[in-house]
Amino acid sequence: MDCIHLTEIRCYGYTGYLPEEQVLGQWFEVDVKLWLDLSAAAKSDEIADTLDYRSVISLIKDLVKTSKFALIERLAGAIADSIIQQCHEVTQVQVKLTKPAAPIPDFGGKISIDLTKTRTK
């Protein structure tokens, strides 16, 4: 199966366990892998034969911006579910959602969630 990678999609959103995270917001980074058949596009050179990346990027940015979940696991799941629901040619999606500046004392690293969903028949 073929795969499209969209990486480093930066979005500002309001998901977080602490109440101030849902008020002040923070930056998130999203990477997605989309599995689908690209053989027609590889031959035709026509956008109609592939997935329009712009629509997936807009979907992700809109979800991050408008969602107010406590857990980034929930946000990653919502992104994966929305892509599977709206992009019928995608058979599997992997979402990597990163919180680059989590408000945890004495922690300067990043927190990431990798979540994979497969279309059910």
Side-chain angles (χ1 to χ4, degrees), residues 13-23 26 28 63-64 66-78 97 99 102-104 111 113:
Y14 300 89
T15 290
Y17 182 72
L18 300 174
E20 55 269 23
E21 292 179 282
Q22 293 191 6
V23 174
Q26 62 199 300
F28 293 90
L63 269 170
V64 172
T66 60
S67 298
K68 285 194 175 187
F69 300 121
L71 302 177
I72 59 174
E73 292 87 343
R74 178 66 186 100
L75 180 55
L97 177 66
K99 200 176 202 180
I104 299 173
I111 297 173
I113 300 297

Side-chain angles (χ1 to χ4, degrees), residues 92-104:
Q92 184 172 315
V93 59
Q94 180 182 24
V95 176
K96 179 180 179 183
L97 177 66
T98 301
K99 200 176 202 180
I104 299 173

